[in-house]
Amino acid sequence: MSDLKPARTRMAPSPTGRFHLGSARTALFDYLLAKKTGGQFVLRIEDTDRKRFVPGSEEEIIASLKWLGIEPDEGPGYGGPYGPYRQTERRQAYADHARILVDKGAAFPCFCTPERLAAVRQEQQKRKETPRYDGTCRSLSPQEAASRIADGEKYVIRFKMPYEGVTVARDLLRGEIATENRHLDDTVLLKSDGLPTYHLAAMLDDHLMDITHVLRGSEWLPTFPLHVQVVRAFGWDEPVWVHLSVFLKPSGKGKMSKREAAQAMTDGYSIFVKDMEGLGYTPEGVLNWIALMGWGVAEDDVMNLDEMVERFDVEKLTPSPAAINFNKLDHFNGTHIRRLPVDELARRIKPFFVDAGYEVDNDTLLKITPLIQERLVTLDDCIAFGGFFFQETVTPDPQDLVAKGLTAAQSAEAARRSLDILSGVDSLAHDIAEPPLRALVEEMGLNAGQVFGILRAAVTGQRVSPPLFESMEVIGKEKVIERLEGAIGALENLDDTPPKG
RNA sequence: GUCCCCAUCGUCUAGCGGCCCAGGACGGGGCCCUCUCAAGGCCCAAACAGGGGUUCGAGUCCCCUUGGGGACACCA
């Protein structure tokens, strides 16, 4: 870290849609940098585009950050000394500052109608030129501009980009980026509705809020020189600029799109943080996963939030685009599930059992959790691995009751002898029940997989389950015997076909 | 079309001139363990886009080509 002075970082989403992975990663890095240096992470809502406003998206942003465990120190609903934190509640400041730039000669009022601008743009494109403002209002005298404003004519305020010269901007990860001013435009700073565009609003607020490090997506790189010029025109200190790469779709060809988002859903994944919880992902898993896309960690890459804060270094972020890889999300999720204390895991999987319609008693829940813990990739896998524990009865597929290499009659015989043994044993504690059954396997000249497979299907109703003896212990002697009797009955009803291959 | 950014295994990445015939992780393959499924352990295949420089020495610095990505709104 180049400096350990407390950093003030900000995440500035616009409430125009759903909160996705890319935003979450920016927020994470903002959070890590702030916590690492003992600074603050602020949330600012950039809601100056009223046309694209989507009700509920601010709530989704806040809920997502909360679920991830990277809550802002300041922001809407959190308060703080730099409020308000919604840009529509700060409109006067933008208008005032746009005026300041005009007075300084760094910006000018523009009365061109959207229709005229569109026509100009079309004409330029026809001539294969880069679309840009043609400068019509740039040379208006202050008097004329003032009188047209007084007449009530609609206008915007544009930045007066120098026609000559080069703007050199410095990005922490990429170094100096030089752009010739002639390629830049007289960009609109204040719209005719009196609200600012991003180019003014973000620069002003970052300054007013004492933001020290701006972490944002690389889609801002083309307007980076403009932003630097705006800041310099005001005479403010620049923050440290860090442009993060974008997330590419799994194929690596192109960035995540609507289509790709839909595809992820059909594959059981989502690029929206809010969906992650319902899909059985843990905040730890998601955080670890997104952290490693764009942050180069050489080894020991399994980290929780605290460990990330400990090891974070903003200079170690990588500038190249990263393709999303859901395999890795599954891996990290499983890894973090295994790291969870049993009672914590139990608390987290309980809602999935409840939602599936099971009546969950905490005693049983706590007993089965360690049995399924290392088998879960997502939390909702608990149903597949442990649902039968909460069922009164199970109904195995009769075919699953027939062991490989045995006929139905032979399988029934093995089940009967197992039943005799289990009936006679004092307890189904696994260390008590297992030895005599192993002896039976030996005696019948079979192998463990055959006999235990029959019992597994009979007792759990499935061919895949947690370890058999531990499972039987939880289910209890009474139910085990009951289920075994049912299985024997089912086997006896089976036509005796040749041994299962 | 113009501008900007990026470029190491299929993917995420380590590497900031000699420690690299390139390390880790996911995924893939094999073996071990094993009552199923996992988990775990061991092993294997897999990359410096190409071409020029600079240097005693280049994955590491510079240039070009190629490829990829992004941006060209009174959206952010």
Side-chain angles (χ1 to χ4, degrees), chain A residues 94 134 168 345 489:
Chain A
Y94 307 118
D134 65 357
V168 178
L345 210 213

Side-chain angles (χ1 to χ4, degrees), chain A residues 252-269:
Chain A
K253 305 279 181 205
K255 72 168 177 179
M256 290 303 292
S257 61
K258 290 249 166 59
R259 216 216 96 77
E260 219 59 35
Q263 180 60 47
M265 285 303 255
T266 68
D267 294 343
Y269 298 107

Side-chain angles (χ1 to χ4, degrees), chain A residues 132-201:
Chain A
R132 66 201 300 266
Y133 182 62
D134 65 357
T136 303
C137 296
R138 225 172 122 117
S139 49
L140 256 32
S141 71
Q143 298 72 236
E144 186 183 348
S147 86
R148 287 173 74 170
I149 291 173
D151 287 345
E153 207 174 323
K154 282 253 186 198
Y155 69 101
V156 301
I157 290 179
R158 289 179 182 274
F159 189 72
K160 191 182 281 184
M161 183 61 63
Y163 285 147
E164 310 207 324
V166 173
T167 300
V168 178
R170 184 172 190 80
D171 174 89
L172 183 70
L173 308 177
R174 300 156 209 263
E176 291 187 344
I177 296 170
T179 310
E180 291 186 61
N181 293 153
R182 65 189 173 86
H183 293 306
L184 271 14
D185 203 0
D186 292 341
T187 314
V188 173
L189 261 24
L190 198 72
K191 299 180 276 186
S192 58
D193 64 2
L195 283 168
T197 59
Y198 174 92
H199 314 296
L200 204 218

Side-chain angles (χ1 to χ4, degrees), chain A residues 310-367:
Chain A
E310 179 63 31
R311 297 173 60 181
F312 187 69
D313 180 352
V314 66
E315 303 206 36
K316 291 281 189 185
L317 298 182
T318 55
S320 43
I324 280 181
N325 177 190
F326 289 111
N327 277 338
K328 211 152 183 170
L329 168 61
D330 283 336
H331 168 257
F332 279 119
N333 204 241
T335 302
H336 278 99
I337 284 175
R338 272 170 255 129
R339 279 182 143 206
L340 252 25
V342 170
D343 55 339
E344 173 62 17
L345 210 213
R347 196 181 64 70
R348 296 202 204 183
I349 57 179
K350 186 173 180 179
F352 288 94
F353 282 121
V354 172
D355 286 351
Y358 293 109
E359 210 166 296
V360 180
D361 70 283
N362 288 328
D363 195 45
T364 305
L365 179 65
L366 237 29
K367 280 191 211 153

